[in-house]
Amino acid sequence: MSKETIKAKADGRNGQIDFDIDLDGNHIDDVKVTKSAETSAIFNQVFDKLKNSVIDNQSFDVDAVSGASLMTQAMLDSGKKALEDKDIELAKPEPKEHREIHLNVDVAVIGSGMAGLMAACRALSMGKRVVVLEKNGYFGGATILNGSNVVGTGSKVSAKLFGKTAKEDSPVLLVKDITRECKGTNYTMLSNLLANNIGRAVDFITEFANLKYQKAETQTVEHSVNRQIEMPSESSYELITKVVKAFEEKGGKIILDARVEKLNKNDTGVLTSLVAEGKNQTVNVKFKSLVLAAGGFGAKDYKEHTTDIPYYGPMTSTGDYFNFAKNMNLVSRNLNWYKIYPHGLEVEPGIAKLTTYSTKEVGDMGAIFVNKAGKRIVDESAPYTHFRDAIAEQKDKVAYVVMDQKMWDRFYELMLKYGFNKDEVQGYFDLDGKKSPVLVKGDLKTAAEKAGIDYATLKESLDNYEEDVKAKYDPEFGRDPKFLHAYEGDTYYIIEQKLSFCTTLGGYETNDQMQLLDTAMAPVANFYASGEIIGGANGRDSMPSMMNSWSYASGFVAGTSAADNANYNHSGDEKPIDVTSGASE
């Protein structure tokens, strides 16, 4: 028997994936990735699952991972071809038998993002039997892409981290900030629910999953006091994996590749069970309470061209509940509301990746924002909504951040920290400004010409800005003098910035117990919800950290309400589950 390593390449979502296949004769010993531009928080999960499947079955003829099927199928196909090219034949695995799973629980939760996990952990902590159903082959939903940043208003965690400063914050002040930022478009009941429960939620999950928080590296200007906290790694991947581990160790159950397709009612029209489907399984769940935490519907609107704003969220945010929950007659509102960020690169037509942390940082270092004509367009240290509105006012809806070498080094450092990799960024520079995303460098004239910006006007804008720095006064936009810093050297970087969205801000309606309402505005028995699918708490413009905060607070309340409901709901105890009756259509 001889050992060898076969090299393979596959096309991922963000570029080429290189991987090695370690063989001992015709036996697959290992599969190791050597290069990838994929989002690590998702890729790490799906690759481990894919690798284990390949090794366990000794074949690349296995199922792709749900929610990452294009990427994982590409790896399976290229792995299989790489072996065939070396005349290495492996036996095909036996087809998996389709299995039927029947569960009887107190609380079922749809979705494994933080809103769903918070609800599930809370209900489990109250002594309930809980199952989480996740349609993807990995945990985390959209949360996995959002970072771990939340507000700690009213929490013991914040009191410890911020000391006396924490006393400057309060639920009332948080609601005031929310209302100001969204210009009064928020729903006060939900905003109060968020503000009054986020501290409890933070303290609860900290103890439940043995989490450790720190002051967030960036305390954004939208918040009137320092209240933002995050995991030490700043990663939602760390958050999700620790919470999942604690949930399962304490007796909770999570089923992946379980796409809910039917909600069933009993003879009296009350919701009592559901059916979920996977590649090789049908899951039938009978419950006393159901929590819908299935995320947003941004990918659905992107694919249906409901909006022309580039989308940076997960392609799994498809709003499946608009189909499987049809028979529940739920009331919705503001389905055309999106959380629009101005800091994004359109990495392929209609698809964006955020540079929010990078752009915020270099704005405070003195970088300026200009349009195609080379004119400054905004106070670069203002809240992100000012950037958003300034970019939206441009004819082409594009702006450019102009940096010196020092600014670029920090911008680049944060790009690598938040979702980009070196090869990916270099690939953008290799485009030389000929198409989006535009990332160029050189002396000012060279960089301006590559970016298609009027050089004479750009130089004038920079000259005027240098005078503002010397005078410590910005007459054009009133930028705070502490952010007026001179450019250094003669190398300039110009980076394109476009509007983009991930989060949907509209959705279904609930009462103050997070119980869903029907079109008659009546609570739906046994049915609760949390997270992105419930719109209104943050209005039309949420502050940084607030969508994560909404997932915490709404999940905490929904889990509490669902557990309480299970205490006195005995409607599901009499009969075995009937998977055909009352199915949604």
Side-chain angles (χ1 to χ4, degrees):
M1 303 292 281
S2 60
K3 293 189 177 184
E4 63 178 315
T5 297
I6 307 297
K7 295 191 175 296
K9 298 179 179 181
D11 292 328
R13 277 197 56 81
N14 297 329
Q16 184 173 292
I17 302 170
D18 294 351
F19 59 100
D20 293 344
I21 308 167
D22 291 343
L23 297 171
D24 189 347
N26 280 10
H27 186 275
I28 301 174
D29 282 351
D30 201 1
V31 182
K32 295 177 289 191
V33 171
T34 58
K35 173 185 172 184
S36 170
E38 302 305 298
T39 303
S40 59
I42 295 176
F43 186 74
N44 291 344
Q45 293 189 66
V46 300
F47 175 69
D48 283 348
K49 187 171 185 177
L50 191 73
K51 179 178 78 170
N52 291 338
S53 181
V54 167
I55 293 174
D56 289 347
N57 290 280
Q58 286 297 296
S59 174
F60 282 89
D61 285 312
V62 295
D63 290 331
V65 179
S66 299
S69 56
L70 291 177
M71 174 179 67
T72 51
Q73 188 61 56
M75 293 186 70
L76 292 171
D77 292 342
S78 61
K80 182 179 179 181
K81 185 177 186 303
L83 295 182
E84 290 175 347
D85 289 345
K86 293 287 186 176
D87 294 324
I88 297 171
E89 293 186 11
L90 300 174
K92 288 190 175 183
E94 292 293 324
K96 289 185 178 179
E97 290 187 11
H98 193 88
R99 60 176 184 161
E100 288 271 343
I101 300 172
H102 293 267
L103 298 173
N104 194 328
V105 300
D106 296 311
V107 178
V109 178
I110 302 173
S112 72
M114 199 56 204
L117 290 175
M118 179 67 81
C121 292
R122 177 59 174 163
L124 186 69
S125 75
M126 295 173 69
K128 304 306 164 195
R129 298 166 298 164
V130 184
V131 65
V132 175
L133 303 167
E134 171 57 59
K135 70 176 180 179
N136 296 320
Y138 56 88
F139 306 114
T143 302
I144 209 74
L145 303 175
N146 290 351
S148 61
N149 202 298
V150 296
V151 300
T153 302
S155 68
K156 296 176 183 176
V157 171
S158 278
K160 183 177 180 180
L161 291 175
F162 291 104
K164 292 181 180 179
T165 304
K167 295 180 180 179
E168 298 173 9
D169 196 11
S170 69
V172 172
L173 183 58
L174 180 55
V175 172
K176 184 178 179 180
D177 287 351
I178 291 170
T179 305
R180 182 201 65 247
E181 183 66 18
C182 71
K183 298 179 181 178
T185 56
N186 56 313
Y187 291 85
T188 304
M189 181 270 287
L190 293 179
S191 299
N192 284 326
L193 183 147
L194 189 167
N196 289 322
N197 287 281
I198 184 58
R200 299 174 188 172
V202 166
D203 288 339
F204 163 74
I205 204 66
T206 297
E207 182 178 352
F208 183 92
N210 192 27
L211 302 179
K212 295 188 184 303
Y213 287 92
Q214 64 182 23
K215 294 179 185 178
E217 183 176 350
T218 301
Q219 298 291 327
T220 58
V221 67
E222 289 84 355
H223 294 270
S224 61
V225 295
N226 290 346
R227 56 165 70 107
Q228 291 159 283
I229 61 176
E230 63 193 4
M231 304 295 289
S233 66
E234 302 172 5
S235 166
S236 52
Y237 178 64
E238 178 189 4
L239 171 69
I240 292 295
T241 52
K242 287 184 175 179
V243 171
V244 166
K245 183 174 184 288
F247 176 71
E248 292 184 319
E249 286 179 347
K250 294 173 188 287
K253 185 176 184 63
I254 302 180
I255 303 178
L256 299 177
D257 190 23
R259 184 186 64 256
V260 176
E261 295 195 349
K262 297 177 182 178
L263 299 183
N264 303 318
K265 301 176 182 178
N266 64 14
D267 294 341
T268 62
V270 176
L271 177 65
T272 56
S273 67
L274 62 79
V275 180
E277 296 288 352
K279 289 188 181 74
N280 300 294
Q281 63 184 9
T282 297
V283 186
N284 307 287
V285 183
K286 195 174 185 181
F287 50 76
K288 297 176 180 177
S289 300
L290 176 64
V291 179
L292 176 62
F297 48 91
K300 170 181 172 291
D301 283 7
Y302 157 71
K303 291 175 182 178
E304 295 176 356
H305 304 290
T306 303
T307 176
D308 60 359
I309 302 169
Y311 177 65
Y312 71 88
M315 287 302 165
T316 54
S317 292
T318 51
D320 301 348
Y321 34 77
F322 290 129
N323 291 320
F324 70 68
K326 267 185 181 178
N327 66 334
M328 304 309 298
N329 298 317
L330 302 176
V331 63
S332 62
R333 62 183 171 203
N334 306 324
L335 298 185
N336 62 339
W337 282 11
Y338 309 112
K339 179 177 171 61
I340 300 172
Y341 272 105
H343 318 119
L345 299 180
E346 188 173 16
V347 296
E348 59 182 272
I351 298 296
K353 293 185 74 171
L354 284 188
T355 62
T356 301
Y357 289 102
S358 299
T359 306
K360 164 65 178 169
E361 185 80 2
V362 299
D364 290 350
M365 291 173 70
I368 66 169
F369 251 67
V370 302
N371 59 16
K372 200 81 167 177
K375 290 182 174 292
R376 275 183 74 200
I377 61 173
V378 72
D379 170 3
E380 292 83 357
S381 300
Y384 86 88
T385 51
H386 293 234
F387 286 88
R388 182 203 61 201
D389 294 345
I391 293 177
E393 288 171 2
Q394 305 309 310
K395 185 176 181 181
D396 55 0
K397 291 184 171 55
V398 180
Y400 303 85
V401 57
V402 182
M403 296 172 277
D404 63 14
Q405 186 67 53
K406 182 179 179 181
M407 297 170 191
W408 163 253
D409 289 344
R410 181 58 174 156
F411 191 98
Y412 181 55
E413 178 186 355
L414 290 173
M415 286 183 81
L416 299 185
K417 195 172 185 178
Y418 294 102
F420 293 84
N421 64 53
K422 293 180 180 180
D423 291 336
E424 182 182 10
V425 176
Q426 184 57 53
Y428 301 150
F429 276 106
D430 291 343
L431 296 173
D432 215 25
K434 293 181 174 62
K435 68 173 187 176
S436 286
V438 173
L439 287 81
V440 298
K441 74 172 184 175
D443 58 60
L444 187 61
K445 188 173 190 298
T446 299
E449 289 175 350
K450 285 183 177 181
I453 296 173
D454 183 271
Y455 165 66
T457 306
L458 177 59
K459 186 176 186 307
E460 182 181 356
S461 294
L462 273 170
D463 289 344
N464 289 338
Y465 177 71
E466 293 294 342
E467 292 300 317
D468 296 343
V469 172
K470 292 176 184 176
K472 296 183 179 180
Y473 173 64
D474 175 14
E476 190 171 9
F477 294 105
R479 191 178 191 178
D480 191 320
K482 70 181 179 183
F483 299 125
L484 296 175
H485 304 295
Y487 279 64
E488 300 174 3
D490 55 8
T491 299
Y492 293 84
Y493 290 78
I494 299 178
I495 311 301
E496 179 183 82
Q497 300 276 268
K498 291 186 176 181
L499 302 176
S500 57
F501 87 99
C502 165
T503 308
T504 44
L505 295 173
Y508 291 134
E509 295 207 45
T510 69
N511 60 17
D512 60 3
Q513 302 301 306
M514 297 308 297
Q515 188 171 13
L516 285 156
L517 305 179
D518 63 19
T519 52
M521 302 306 288
V524 178
N526 306 335
F527 207 3
Y528 302 83
S530 62
E532 188 178 350
I533 186 50
I534 305 304
N538 287 295
R540 193 158 192 169
D541 287 308
S542 67
M543 297 186 293
S545 306
M546 293 311 298
M547 291 309 297
N548 281 349
S549 300
W550 174 238
S551 71
Y552 274 51
S554 61
F556 181 79
V557 174
T560 303
S561 298
D564 285 343
N565 180 70
N567 286 334
Y568 62 82
N569 177 4
H570 303 289
S571 61
D573 289 342
E574 298 90 3
K575 300 178 182 178
I577 190 169
D578 179 354
V579 299
T580 59
S581 65
S584 331
E585 297 178 356

